[in-house]
Amino acid sequence: MSAEISNDAFKASMIAQIKEIQEMLNELKIIKRGDGKKSIKRKTAKRKTVKRKTAKRGTISKRKTSRRR
């Protein structure tokens, strides 16, 4: 009887470890896929040209004389 219990416990622990290892492998695959896609899809950066605004020409304001009190 004790041999069957220890055998069942051993099987259960092995199955649990196998599941943990499978989950870790799946995470590694996801990480590897993510890194590979970034390097493949990466394109050269295009420089945007910025148009400068021209200075506005307005009328020259006349000087105001100060009021005398």
Side-chain angles (χ1 to χ4, degrees):
M1 185 91 172
S2 65
E4 290 178 4
I5 293 173
S6 64
N7 193 18
D8 291 340
F10 176 75
K11 286 181 182 180
S13 67
M14 288 302 291
I15 290 172
Q17 287 180 352
I18 290 170
K19 286 183 181 180
E20 288 178 22
I21 292 170
Q22 286 177 340
E23 289 175 1
M24 286 189 277
L25 286 173
N26 286 336
E27 290 176 6
L28 287 173
K29 286 179 185 178
I30 291 169
I31 291 170
K32 189 174 180 182
R33 285 182 196 158
D35 291 341
K37 287 183 180 178
K38 286 182 184 175
S39 63
I40 292 170
K41 288 186 177 180
R42 181 177 247 173
K43 295 181 182 178
T44 57
K46 294 182 181 179
R47 292 186 180 182
K48 294 182 179 179
T49 57
V50 178
K51 294 182 180 179
R52 294 186 180 186
K53 294 182 179 179
T54 57
K56 293 182 181 179
R57 292 189 178 188
T59 58
I60 299 172
S61 61
K62 297 179 181 177
R63 288 186 183 177
K64 293 183 179 179
T65 57
S66 61
R67 292 184 181 178
R68 293 184 183 178
R69 294 185 184 186

